[in-house]
Amino acid sequence: MKIGIIGAGFIGGTLTRRLTAVGHEVAVANSRDPETLADLAAETGATAVWAKDAAADADLVILSIPQKNVPDLADDLFAARKPGAPIIETNNYYPQQRDGLIAAIEDGQPESAWVSEHIGAPVIKVFNGIYWKHLLEKGVDAGTDGRIALPIAGDDVDHKKIVSDLVDQIGFDPVDAGSITDSWRQQPGTPVYGKDYDVEKTRAALAEASNERTDEWRAKA
């Protein structure tokens, strides 16, 4: 596939490495000049582009930026992707650590629903809860004992199938985590977040989640 990645931090950069390694054509952008991604492009064979060009003619787009920066994205940032191309978002809301107060999320709106609302397009939530080094290094062949499972939340069945196949290609077991309304089950502070669980344990952790944000993951009063 032709994949556009907006955000080249720990997760965006890692996905650039993993997806090019399995043969996908990747265009990657950050918030600065493409020249700042020259080393990543040289290492991976990806094409460094301006953010406004990352989604151009893409079969799939990945958004991996700080949550607080989502409202600053250009209104038409995803318009040039192929019709019906899925958008993955890997974001997390870190109110104390980085993002400050986002009132709608504090009031209970799932983080991915908030992203979808701001970009004006449906999203698939995945890759938000795995440590980037494990995403880079711990992918293994299907059927391997202890293969790490990644929850995938979204409303479009066809999009989830495309994303599930992608997750499998880079060495992880996809687990259907429900709709975007259910995506809070994989947000920071939930039992599955940050864990390298297999399919069975991932499903159990999703089922055990509470939608009450803990103090660590709420903005300070």
Side-chain angles (χ1 to χ4, degrees):
M1 289 192 294
K2 185 174 182 180
I3 298 174
I5 300 180
I6 300 168
F10 288 130
I11 296 297
T14 296
L15 288 171
T16 300
R17 293 177 172 92
R18 295 299 301 121
L19 293 169
T20 53
V22 296
H24 295 288
E25 179 183 346
V26 174
V28 61
N30 57 18
S31 60
R32 296 172 291 160
D33 189 296
E35 284 298 315
T36 62
L37 296 174
D39 289 347
L40 179 63
E43 174 192 342
T44 62
T47 301
V49 298
W50 292 99
K52 66 181 180 61
D53 299 320
D57 200 35
D59 299 295
L60 181 142
V61 183
I62 299 171
L63 178 65
S64 188
I65 66 173
Q67 194 84 338
K68 66 180 180 179
N69 294 345
V70 170
D72 299 329
L73 295 173
D75 291 340
D76 61 350
L77 191 61
F78 301 94
R81 74 190 194 281
K82 288 180 179 175
I87 300 171
I88 289 173
E89 74 96 11
T90 77
N91 299 3
N92 291 307
Y93 173 50
Y94 297 136
Q96 297 180 35
Q97 300 86 347
R98 180 191 63 199
D99 296 316
L101 171 68
I102 298 176
I105 296 175
E106 291 283 337
D107 290 341
Q109 185 177 25
E111 296 169 15
S112 292
W114 183 86
V115 172
S116 178
E117 183 178 287
H118 276 275
I119 69 172
V123 298
I124 303 292
K125 188 175 193 73
V126 65
F127 301 125
N128 72 294
I130 183 170
Y131 181 41
W132 70 271
K133 284 189 177 180
H134 295 183
L135 181 61
L136 181 65
E137 299 170 356
K138 292 196 173 185
V140 295
D141 292 339
T144 302
D145 286 345
R147 195 186 200 208
I148 297 170
L150 300 181
I152 301 170
D155 297 331
D156 188 300
V157 174
D158 292 335
H159 286 186
K160 288 169 85 171
K161 175 64 167 62
I162 292 168
V163 173
S164 293
D165 288 347
L166 199 69
V167 166
D168 180 58
Q169 287 173 31
I170 62 172
F172 302 91
D173 280 333
V175 170
D176 191 331
S179 68
I180 283 299
T181 301
D182 300 318
S183 63
W184 59 266
R185 293 182 179 275
Q186 65 196 78
Q187 292 177 174
T190 59
V192 78
Y193 180 78
K195 303 295 193 299
D196 290 340
Y197 288 153
D198 63 12
V199 169
E200 182 178 350
K201 289 182 179 179
T202 293
R203 288 177 176 154
L206 289 166
E208 293 166 4
S210 167
N211 62 0
E212 293 294 324
R213 300 189 74 88
T214 61
D215 288 344
E216 181 183 3
W217 303 106
R218 296 192 70 92
K220 291 184 177 180

